[in-house]
Amino acid sequence: MQIAIDGPASSGKSTISKKIANMRGLLYLDTGAMYRVVTLAALQHKIDPSDEESVKQLLSQIKIHFETSDNGQLVFLNGENVTDTIRGNQVTNNVSAIAAQKLVREEMVKRQRDIAANHSIIMDGRDIGTVVLPDADLKVFLIATAEERANRRFKENQLRGIETDYRQLLEEIKHRDYLDSTRKESPLKKADDAIELDSTPLTIDQVVDTIVKWIDESNN
Ligand code: CDP
Ligand code: CDP
């Protein structure tokens, strides 16, 4: 069983994918975290995220692994727990430049397919339905308005005690959407055979229930 969940920033992909993974006993792979880890490694090595040659050399030195803990999934870069660091502003503001590079994408897609080869899996990202798992049993393109997505991130930050400016969040989300959907390599776009789900008016549970129903239908 392979399930692809794609969509723009903060549309709810990871929250929903994790819940469905738990309910249906699937492995969850957060492919965005992988691009974030590469971005963090570049920043740590003081490499310009758009310097393709330096990023290429760095790639072979990057080991990424995930672990499951009581607090959710942990992400490691060469054995170091970077779960929180990769969500910081510095990584978020540079990740699209790294993710636009052909060689980075080829390497990440290879690693993602290797993982998918041995597991029943739900993967979320931008190119899962179009590139990584073109034969997935179910493909969902999860969207919400930019305003609703900024609102969700704003509330999430508030809960974590992180002060953010709503307008700035909205601009950042729109900018990342633009970069991700206009890049040459594997741009963010709905696969022809994906089902689009607009989650703007929906709760997390409503989205989960809808997708679980589609999974069960695709199994029959
Ligand atoms: O959680 P959020 O939607 O903010 O982002 P993410 O899923 O962690 O992805 C971070 C960035 O990685 C995206 O803005 C894309 O530039 C890139 N990405 C990608 O290009 N392809 C994927 N399959 C997943 C993420
Ligand atoms: O992975 P992605 O960036 O697409 O989004 P996320 O990190 O899963 O979700 C962003 C925020 O929106 C989280 O705080 C979710 O709890 C929230 N969310 C929501 O309020 N309603 C939904 N229908 C989906 C997500």
Side-chain angles (χ1 to χ4, degrees):
M1 164 70 67
Q2 294 184 332
I3 299 167
I5 311 281
D6 289 301
S10 283
S11 54
K13 301 179 299 297
S14 60
T15 307
I16 271 106
S17 300
K18 277 180 215 161
K19 283 189 176 265
I20 295 174
N22 281 336
M23 289 167 75
R24 285 293 184 267
L26 305 168
L27 181 73
Y28 164 59
L29 185 64
D30 176 356
T31 65
M34 298 173 72
Y35 291 94
R36 286 175 179 271
V37 170
V38 178
T39 308
L40 176 64
L43 293 171
Q44 285 177 342
H45 285 81
K46 307 219 179 319
I47 290 171
D48 175 350
S50 51
D51 175 353
E52 297 200 11
E53 193 48 45
S54 303
V55 173
K56 178 183 157 192
Q57 286 173 18
L58 183 67
L59 271 181
S60 61
Q61 302 165 36
I62 298 178
K63 284 206 179 62
I64 304 172
H65 84 271
F66 295 89
E67 284 179 20
T68 307
S69 81
D70 291 345
N71 298 323
Q73 204 169 55
L74 304 177
V75 189
F76 292 80
L77 161 61
N78 296 333
E80 184 196 346
N81 183 348
V82 294
T83 313
D84 293 332
T85 327
I86 60 166
R87 305 284 158 203
N89 276 341
Q90 242 210 327
V91 170
T92 301
N93 292 334
N94 286 288
V95 64
S96 292
I98 292 275
Q101 294 178 28
K102 190 168 190 267
L103 278 173
V104 173
R105 302 208 68 83
E106 282 173 0
E107 177 62 26
M108 293 303 118
V109 169
K110 184 176 167 297
R111 295 186 192 193
Q112 291 154 13
R113 286 188 182 146
D114 283 349
I115 296 169
N118 301 314
H119 297 92
S120 279
I121 198 162
I122 181 163
M123 242 190 236
D124 81 323
R126 303 292 189 286
D127 60 339
I128 311 304
T130 50
V131 176
V132 183
L133 302 175
D135 299 323
D137 301 280
L138 177 69
K139 299 179 184 179
V140 178
F141 196 71
L142 189 61
I143 60 165
T145 61
E147 287 72 18
E148 171 62 16
R149 290 183 282 129
N151 199 21
R152 289 174 185 174
R153 263 294 133 89
F154 181 77
K155 283 191 194 149
E156 185 182 306
N157 286 345
Q158 265 188 330
L159 281 176
R160 288 188 184 160
I162 305 168
E163 249 192 65
T164 35
D165 180 68
Y166 171 80
R167 297 215 68 79
Q168 194 184 337
L169 268 182
L170 180 61
E171 285 318 308
E172 280 169 9
I173 280 183
K174 284 184 177 170
H175 185 56
R176 202 141 56 89
D177 284 355
Y178 172 77
L179 294 177
D180 290 344
S181 51
T182 55
R183 71 182 176 217
K184 196 164 143 259
E185 303 297 331
S186 312
L188 165 68
K189 84 173 201 283
K190 179 184 161 299
D192 290 340
D193 52 351
I195 312 177
E196 184 168 287
L197 178 55
D198 184 354
S199 73
T200 308
L202 303 178
T203 64
I204 293 171
D205 284 342
Q206 285 172 325
V207 177
V208 168
D209 288 349
T210 305
I211 298 178
V212 165
K213 201 178 93 217
W214 290 339
I215 293 173
D216 292 342
E217 281 168 8
S218 79
N219 268 335
N220 291 329

